[in-house]
mmCIF file with all atom_site columns, all heavy atoms in Angstrom:
data_model
loop_
_atom_site.group_PDB
_atom_site.id
_atom_site.type_symbol
_atom_site.label_atom_id
_atom_site.label_alt_id
_atom_site.label_comp_id
_atom_site.label_asym_id
_atom_site.label_entity_id
_atom_site.label_seq_id
_atom_site.pdbx_PDB_ins_code
_atom_site.Cartn_x
_atom_site.Cartn_y
_atom_site.Cartn_z
_atom_site.occupancy
_atom_site.B_iso_or_equiv
_atom_site.pdbx_formal_charge
_atom_site.auth_seq_id
_atom_site.auth_comp_id
_atom_site.auth_asym_id
_atom_site.auth_atom_id
_atom_site.pdbx_PDB_model_num
ATOM   1   N N   . ASN A 1 16  ? 88.669 91.291  92.538 1.00 98.00 ? 16  ASN A N   1
ATOM   2   C CA  . ASN A 1 16  ? 87.560 90.690  91.798 1.00 98.00 ? 16  ASN A CA  1
ATOM   3   C C   . ASN A 1 16  ? 88.088 90.267  90.433 1.00 98.00 ? 16  ASN A C   1
ATOM   4   O O   . ASN A 1 16  ? 88.316 91.108  89.565 1.00 98.00 ? 16  ASN A O   1
ATOM   5   C CB  . ASN A 1 16  ? 86.423 91.714  91.651 1.00 98.00 ? 16  ASN A CB  1
ATOM   6   C CG  . ASN A 1 16  ? 85.287 91.195  90.777 1.00 98.00 ? 16  ASN A CG  1
ATOM   7   O OD1 . ASN A 1 16  ? 85.260 90.003  90.426 1.00 98.00 ? 16  ASN A OD1 1
ATOM   8   N ND2 . ASN A 1 16  ? 84.362 92.071  90.420 1.00 98.00 ? 16  ASN A ND2 1
ATOM   9   N N   . LYS A 1 18  ? 86.627 88.675  88.134 1.00 98.00 ? 18  LYS A N   1
ATOM   10  C CA  . LYS A 1 18  ? 85.588 88.621  87.092 1.00 98.00 ? 18  LYS A CA  1
ATOM   11  C C   . LYS A 1 18  ? 85.738 87.290  86.324 1.00 98.00 ? 18  LYS A C   1
ATOM   12  O O   . LYS A 1 18  ? 86.099 86.286  86.944 1.00 98.00 ? 18  LYS A O   1
ATOM   13  C CB  . LYS A 1 18  ? 85.663 89.857  86.197 1.00 98.00 ? 18  LYS A CB  1
ATOM   14  C CG  . LYS A 1 18  ? 85.639 91.151  87.042 1.00 98.00 ? 18  LYS A CG  1
ATOM   15  C CD  . LYS A 1 18  ? 85.441 92.406  86.266 1.00 98.00 ? 18  LYS A CD  1
ATOM   16  C CE  . LYS A 1 18  ? 85.427 93.598  87.223 1.00 98.00 ? 18  LYS A CE  1
ATOM   17  N NZ  . LYS A 1 18  ? 85.169 94.871  86.559 1.00 98.00 ? 18  LYS A NZ  1
ATOM   18  N N   . ILE A 1 105 ? 80.594 88.629  96.680 1.00 99.00 ? 105 ILE A N   1
ATOM   19  C CA  . ILE A 1 105 ? 80.248 89.907  96.056 1.00 99.00 ? 105 ILE A CA  1
ATOM   20  C C   . ILE A 1 105 ? 78.773 89.845  95.654 1.00 99.00 ? 105 ILE A C   1
ATOM   21  O O   . ILE A 1 105 ? 78.324 88.862  95.063 1.00 99.00 ? 105 ILE A O   1
ATOM   22  C CB  . ILE A 1 105 ? 81.127 90.163  94.812 1.00 99.00 ? 105 ILE A CB  1
ATOM   23  C CG1 . ILE A 1 105 ? 82.595 90.352  95.226 1.00 99.00 ? 105 ILE A CG1 1
ATOM   24  C CG2 . ILE A 1 105 ? 80.627 91.376  94.027 1.00 99.00 ? 105 ILE A CG2 1
ATOM   25  C CD1 . ILE A 1 105 ? 83.574 90.433  94.047 1.00 99.00 ? 105 ILE A CD1 1
ATOM   26  N N   . HIS A 1 108 ? 77.199 93.461  91.941 1.00 98.00 ? 108 HIS A N   1
ATOM   27  C CA  . HIS A 1 108 ? 78.191 94.154  91.114 1.00 98.00 ? 108 HIS A CA  1
ATOM   28  C C   . HIS A 1 108 ? 77.482 94.809  89.927 1.00 98.00 ? 108 HIS A C   1
ATOM   29  O O   . HIS A 1 108 ? 76.515 94.258  89.402 1.00 98.00 ? 108 HIS A O   1
ATOM   30  C CB  . HIS A 1 108 ? 79.251 93.163  90.625 1.00 98.00 ? 108 HIS A CB  1
ATOM   31  C CG  . HIS A 1 108 ? 80.420 93.850  90.007 1.00 98.00 ? 108 HIS A CG  1
ATOM   32  N ND1 . HIS A 1 108 ? 80.396 94.319  88.713 1.00 98.00 ? 108 HIS A ND1 1
ATOM   33  C CD2 . HIS A 1 108 ? 81.633 94.193  90.512 1.00 98.00 ? 108 HIS A CD2 1
ATOM   34  C CE1 . HIS A 1 108 ? 81.552 94.918  88.451 1.00 98.00 ? 108 HIS A CE1 1
ATOM   35  N NE2 . HIS A 1 108 ? 82.313 94.850  89.524 1.00 98.00 ? 108 HIS A NE2 1
ATOM   36  N N   . SER A 1 109 ? 77.987 95.948  89.501 1.00 98.00 ? 109 SER A N   1
ATOM   37  C CA  . SER A 1 109 ? 77.288 96.685  88.429 1.00 98.00 ? 109 SER A CA  1
ATOM   38  C C   . SER A 1 109 ? 77.186 95.866  87.154 1.00 98.00 ? 109 SER A C   1
ATOM   39  O O   . SER A 1 109 ? 76.242 96.038  86.376 1.00 98.00 ? 109 SER A O   1
ATOM   40  C CB  . SER A 1 109 ? 77.979 98.019  88.153 1.00 98.00 ? 109 SER A CB  1
ATOM   41  O OG  . SER A 1 109 ? 79.256 97.797  87.634 1.00 98.00 ? 109 SER A OG  1
ATOM   42  N N   . GLU A 1 110 ? 78.158 94.945  86.935 1.00 98.00 ? 110 GLU A N   1
ATOM   43  C CA  . GLU A 1 110 ? 78.059 94.111  85.730 1.00 98.00 ? 110 GLU A CA  1
ATOM   44  C C   . GLU A 1 110 ? 76.891 93.140  85.822 1.00 98.00 ? 110 GLU A C   1
ATOM   45  O O   . GLU A 1 110 ? 76.279 92.788  84.818 1.00 98.00 ? 110 GLU A O   1
ATOM   46  C CB  . GLU A 1 110 ? 79.399 93.388  85.489 1.00 98.00 ? 110 GLU A CB  1
ATOM   47  C CG  . GLU A 1 110 ? 80.454 94.379  84.997 1.00 98.00 ? 110 GLU A CG  1
ATOM   48  C CD  . GLU A 1 110 ? 81.873 94.054  85.411 1.00 98.00 ? 110 GLU A CD  1
ATOM   49  O OE1 . GLU A 1 110 ? 82.158 92.921  85.811 1.00 98.00 ? 110 GLU A OE1 1
ATOM   50  O OE2 . GLU A 1 110 ? 82.703 94.990  85.339 1.00 98.00 ? 110 GLU A OE2 1
ATOM   51  N N   . CYS A 1 139 ? 77.799 95.803  96.457 1.00 98.00 ? 139 CYS A N   1
ATOM   52  C CA  . CYS A 1 139 ? 78.305 96.802  95.506 1.00 98.00 ? 139 CYS A CA  1
ATOM   53  C C   . CYS A 1 139 ? 77.211 97.797  95.136 1.00 98.00 ? 139 CYS A C   1
ATOM   54  O O   . CYS A 1 139 ? 76.081 97.400  94.814 1.00 98.00 ? 139 CYS A O   1
ATOM   55  C CB  . CYS A 1 139 ? 78.796 96.138  94.234 1.00 98.00 ? 139 CYS A CB  1
ATOM   56  S SG  . CYS A 1 139 ? 80.166 95.013  94.496 1.00 98.00 ? 139 CYS A SG  1
ATOM   57  N N   . GLU A 1 178 ? 81.417 101.538 93.828 1.00 98.00 ? 178 GLU A N   1
ATOM   58  C CA  . GLU A 1 178 ? 82.067 101.430 92.529 1.00 98.00 ? 178 GLU A CA  1
ATOM   59  C C   . GLU A 1 178 ? 81.303 102.271 91.509 1.00 98.00 ? 178 GLU A C   1
ATOM   60  O O   . GLU A 1 178 ? 80.303 101.795 90.945 1.00 98.00 ? 178 GLU A O   1
ATOM   61  C CB  . GLU A 1 178 ? 82.079 99.976  92.062 1.00 98.00 ? 178 GLU A CB  1
ATOM   62  C CG  . GLU A 1 178 ? 82.841 99.048  92.981 1.00 98.00 ? 178 GLU A CG  1
ATOM   63  C CD  . GLU A 1 178 ? 83.348 97.829  92.248 1.00 98.00 ? 178 GLU A CD  1
ATOM   64  O OE1 . GLU A 1 178 ? 82.546 97.121  91.607 1.00 98.00 ? 178 GLU A OE1 1
ATOM   65  O OE2 . GLU A 1 178 ? 84.554 97.595  92.293 1.00 98.00 ? 178 GLU A OE2 1
ATOM   66  N N   . ALA A 1 182 ? 83.758 104.583 86.353 1.00 97.00 ? 182 ALA A N   1
ATOM   67  C CA  . ALA A 1 182 ? 85.180 104.416 86.693 1.00 97.00 ? 182 ALA A CA  1
ATOM   68  C C   . ALA A 1 182 ? 85.653 102.981 86.490 1.00 97.00 ? 182 ALA A C   1
ATOM   69  O O   . ALA A 1 182 ? 86.855 102.710 86.519 1.00 97.00 ? 182 ALA A O   1
ATOM   70  C CB  . ALA A 1 182 ? 85.429 104.838 88.135 1.00 97.00 ? 182 ALA A CB  1
ATOM   71  N N   . ILE A 1 183 ? 84.716 102.048 86.285 1.00 97.00 ? 183 ILE A N   1
ATOM   72  C CA  . ILE A 1 183 ? 85.085 100.629 86.200 1.00 97.00 ? 183 ILE A CA  1
ATOM   73  C C   . ILE A 1 183 ? 85.677 100.323 84.824 1.00 97.00 ? 183 ILE A C   1
ATOM   74  O O   . ILE A 1 183 ? 85.032 100.561 83.800 1.00 97.00 ? 183 ILE A O   1
ATOM   75  C CB  . ILE A 1 183 ? 83.862 99.724  86.466 1.00 97.00 ? 183 ILE A CB  1
ATOM   76  C CG1 . ILE A 1 183 ? 83.401 99.895  87.917 1.00 97.00 ? 183 ILE A CG1 1
ATOM   77  C CG2 . ILE A 1 183 ? 84.195 98.269  86.164 1.00 97.00 ? 183 ILE A CG2 1
ATOM   78  C CD1 . ILE A 1 183 ? 82.143 99.110  88.263 1.00 97.00 ? 183 ILE A CD1 1
ATOM   79  N N   . GLY A 1 184 ? 86.897 99.826  84.839 1.00 95.00 ? 184 GLY A N   1
ATOM   80  C CA  . GLY A 1 184 ? 87.545 99.393  83.599 1.00 95.00 ? 184 GLY A CA  1
ATOM   81  C C   . GLY A 1 184 ? 87.826 100.517 82.623 1.00 95.00 ? 184 GLY A C   1
ATOM   82  O O   . GLY A 1 184 ? 88.195 100.274 81.474 1.00 95.00 ? 184 GLY A O   1
ATOM   83  N N   . SER A 1 185 ? 87.666 101.739 83.058 1.00 95.00 ? 185 SER A N   1
ATOM   84  C CA  . SER A 1 185 ? 87.803 102.886 82.147 1.00 95.00 ? 185 SER A CA  1
ATOM   85  C C   . SER A 1 185 ? 89.178 103.526 82.236 1.00 95.00 ? 185 SER A C   1
ATOM   86  O O   . SER A 1 185 ? 89.537 104.345 81.384 1.00 95.00 ? 185 SER A O   1
ATOM   87  C CB  . SER A 1 185 ? 86.743 103.942 82.483 1.00 95.00 ? 185 SER A CB  1
ATOM   88  O OG  . SER A 1 185 ? 87.000 104.493 83.767 1.00 95.00 ? 185 SER A OG  1
ATOM   89  N N   . GLY A 1 186 ? 89.923 103.175 83.287 1.00 95.00 ? 186 GLY A N   1
ATOM   90  C CA  . GLY A 1 186 ? 91.195 103.861 83.515 1.00 95.00 ? 186 GLY A CA  1
ATOM   91  C C   . GLY A 1 186 ? 90.985 105.238 84.123 1.00 95.00 ? 186 GLY A C   1
ATOM   92  O O   . GLY A 1 186 ? 91.933 105.936 84.453 1.00 95.00 ? 186 GLY A O   1
ATOM   93  N N   . GLY A 1 222 ? 85.988 101.095 94.467 1.00 98.00 ? 222 GLY A N   1
ATOM   94  C CA  . GLY A 1 222 ? 86.386 100.298 93.304 1.00 98.00 ? 222 GLY A CA  1
ATOM   95  C C   . GLY A 1 222 ? 86.188 101.078 92.027 1.00 98.00 ? 222 GLY A C   1
ATOM   96  O O   . GLY A 1 222 ? 85.223 101.852 91.899 1.00 98.00 ? 222 GLY A O   1
ATOM   97  N N   . GLY A 1 223 ? 87.076 100.866 91.068 1.00 98.00 ? 223 GLY A N   1
ATOM   98  C CA  . GLY A 1 223 ? 86.986 101.546 89.773 1.00 98.00 ? 223 GLY A CA  1
ATOM   99  C C   . GLY A 1 223 ? 88.344 102.078 89.382 1.00 98.00 ? 223 GLY A C   1
ATOM   100 O O   . GLY A 1 223 ? 88.766 103.120 89.860 1.00 98.00 ? 223 GLY A O   1
ATOM   101 N N   . SER A 1 224 ? 89.057 101.289 88.523 1.00 98.00 ? 224 SER A N   1
ATOM   102 C CA  . SER A 1 224 ? 90.378 101.685 88.021 1.00 98.00 ? 224 SER A CA  1
ATOM   103 C C   . SER A 1 224 ? 91.391 101.947 89.145 1.00 98.00 ? 224 SER A C   1
ATOM   104 O O   . SER A 1 224 ? 92.221 102.847 89.045 1.00 98.00 ? 224 SER A O   1
ATOM   105 C CB  . SER A 1 224 ? 90.256 102.901 87.092 1.00 98.00 ? 224 SER A CB  1
ATOM   106 O OG  . SER A 1 224 ? 89.460 102.574 85.970 1.00 98.00 ? 224 SER A OG  1
ATOM   107 N N   . VAL A 1 225 ? 91.300 101.123 90.197 1.00 98.00 ? 225 VAL A N   1
ATOM   108 C CA  . VAL A 1 225 ? 92.310 101.205 91.263 1.00 98.00 ? 225 VAL A CA  1
ATOM   109 C C   . VAL A 1 225 ? 93.604 100.570 90.758 1.00 98.00 ? 225 VAL A C   1
ATOM   110 O O   . VAL A 1 225 ? 93.585 99.520  90.113 1.00 98.00 ? 225 VAL A O   1
ATOM   111 C CB  . VAL A 1 225 ? 91.829 100.480 92.541 1.00 98.00 ? 225 VAL A CB  1
ATOM   112 C CG1 . VAL A 1 225 ? 92.976 100.311 93.540 1.00 98.00 ? 225 VAL A CG1 1
ATOM   113 C CG2 . VAL A 1 225 ? 90.677 101.240 93.173 1.00 98.00 ? 225 VAL A CG2 1
ATOM   114 N N   . LEU A 1 243 ? 88.108 97.436  96.055 1.00 98.00 ? 243 LEU A N   1
ATOM   115 C CA  . LEU A 1 243 ? 87.699 96.283  95.266 1.00 98.00 ? 243 LEU A CA  1
ATOM   116 C C   . LEU A 1 243 ? 88.335 96.493  93.890 1.00 98.00 ? 243 LEU A C   1
ATOM   117 O O   . LEU A 1 243 ? 87.971 97.416  93.165 1.00 98.00 ? 243 LEU A O   1
ATOM   118 C CB  . LEU A 1 243 ? 86.171 96.203  95.182 1.00 98.00 ? 243 LEU A CB  1
ATOM   119 C CG  . LEU A 1 243 ? 85.570 94.972  94.499 1.00 98.00 ? 243 LEU A CG  1
ATOM   120 C CD1 . LEU A 1 243 ? 86.098 93.669  95.095 1.00 98.00 ? 243 LEU A CD1 1
ATOM   121 C CD2 . LEU A 1 243 ? 84.037 94.991  94.616 1.00 98.00 ? 243 LEU A CD2 1
ATOM   122 N N   . VAL A 1 244 ? 89.304 95.643  93.589 1.00 98.00 ? 244 VAL A N   1
ATOM   123 C CA  . VAL A 1 244 ? 90.175 95.856  92.433 1.00 98.00 ? 244 VAL A CA  1
ATOM   124 C C   . VAL A 1 244 ? 89.799 94.876  91.333 1.00 98.00 ? 244 VAL A C   1
ATOM   125 O O   . VAL A 1 244 ? 89.690 93.675  91.585 1.00 98.00 ? 244 VAL A O   1
ATOM   126 C CB  . VAL A 1 244 ? 91.654 95.627  92.846 1.00 98.00 ? 244 VAL A CB  1
ATOM   127 C CG1 . VAL A 1 244 ? 92.583 95.957  91.696 1.00 98.00 ? 244 VAL A CG1 1
ATOM   128 C CG2 . VAL A 1 244 ? 91.997 96.426  94.100 1.00 98.00 ? 244 VAL A CG2 1
ATOM   129 N N   . GLY A 1 245 ? 89.609 95.359  90.119 1.00 98.00 ? 245 GLY A N   1
ATOM   130 C CA  . GLY A 1 245 ? 89.294 94.486  88.986 1.00 98.00 ? 245 GLY A CA  1
ATOM   131 C C   . GLY A 1 245 ? 90.547 94.144  88.204 1.00 98.00 ? 245 GLY A C   1
ATOM   132 O O   . GLY A 1 245 ? 91.341 93.302  88.617 1.00 98.00 ? 245 GLY A O   1
ATOM   133 N N   . GLY A 1 246 ? 90.747 94.835  87.093 1.00 98.00 ? 246 GLY A N   1
ATOM   134 C CA  . GLY A 1 246 ? 91.852 94.526  86.177 1.00 98.00 ? 246 GLY A CA  1
ATOM   135 C C   . GLY A 1 246 ? 93.199 94.369  86.859 1.00 98.00 ? 246 GLY A C   1
ATOM   136 O O   . GLY A 1 246 ? 93.946 93.411  86.566 1.00 98.00 ? 246 GLY A O   1
ATOM   137 N N   . ALA A 1 247 ? 93.520 95.282  87.766 1.00 98.00 ? 247 ALA A N   1
ATOM   138 C CA  . ALA A 1 247 ? 94.850 95.240  88.399 1.00 98.00 ? 247 ALA A CA  1
ATOM   139 C C   . ALA A 1 247 ? 95.005 94.056  89.354 1.00 98.00 ? 247 ALA A C   1
ATOM   140 O O   . ALA A 1 247 ? 96.127 93.722  89.741 1.00 98.00 ? 247 ALA A O   1
ATOM   141 C CB  . ALA A 1 247 ? 95.126 96.554  89.137 1.00 98.00 ? 247 ALA A CB  1
HETATM 142 P P1  . 13P B 2 .   ? 88.566 97.792  87.463 1.00 90.75 ? 1   13P B P1  1
HETATM 143 O O1  . 13P B 2 .   ? 89.513 97.840  88.641 1.00 90.75 ? 1   13P B O1  1
HETATM 144 O O2  . 13P B 2 .   ? 89.052 96.941  86.341 1.00 90.75 ? 1   13P B O2  1
HETATM 145 O O3  . 13P B 2 .   ? 88.141 99.172  87.052 1.00 90.75 ? 1   13P B O3  1
HETATM 146 O O4  . 13P B 2 .   ? 87.234 97.043  87.993 1.00 90.75 ? 1   13P B O4  1
HETATM 147 C C1  . 13P B 2 .   ? 86.654 97.447  89.174 1.00 90.75 ? 1   13P B C1  1
HETATM 148 C C2  . 13P B 2 .   ? 85.611 96.458  89.546 1.00 90.75 ? 1   13P B C2  1
HETATM 149 O O5  . 13P B 2 .   ? 84.596 96.322  88.895 1.00 90.75 ? 1   13P B O5  1
HETATM 150 C C3  . 13P B 2 .   ? 85.874 95.613  90.729 1.00 90.75 ? 1   13P B C3  1
HETATM 151 O O6  . 13P B 2 .   ? 84.725 94.932  91.121 1.00 90.75 ? 1   13P B O6  1
#
Side-chain angles (χ1 to χ4, degrees):
N16 175 10
K18 307 191 180 183
I105 294 173
H108 191 280
S109 66
E110 288 149 17
C139 298
E178 299 205 306
I183 294 176
S185 66
S224 298
V225 168
L243 186 53
V244 185

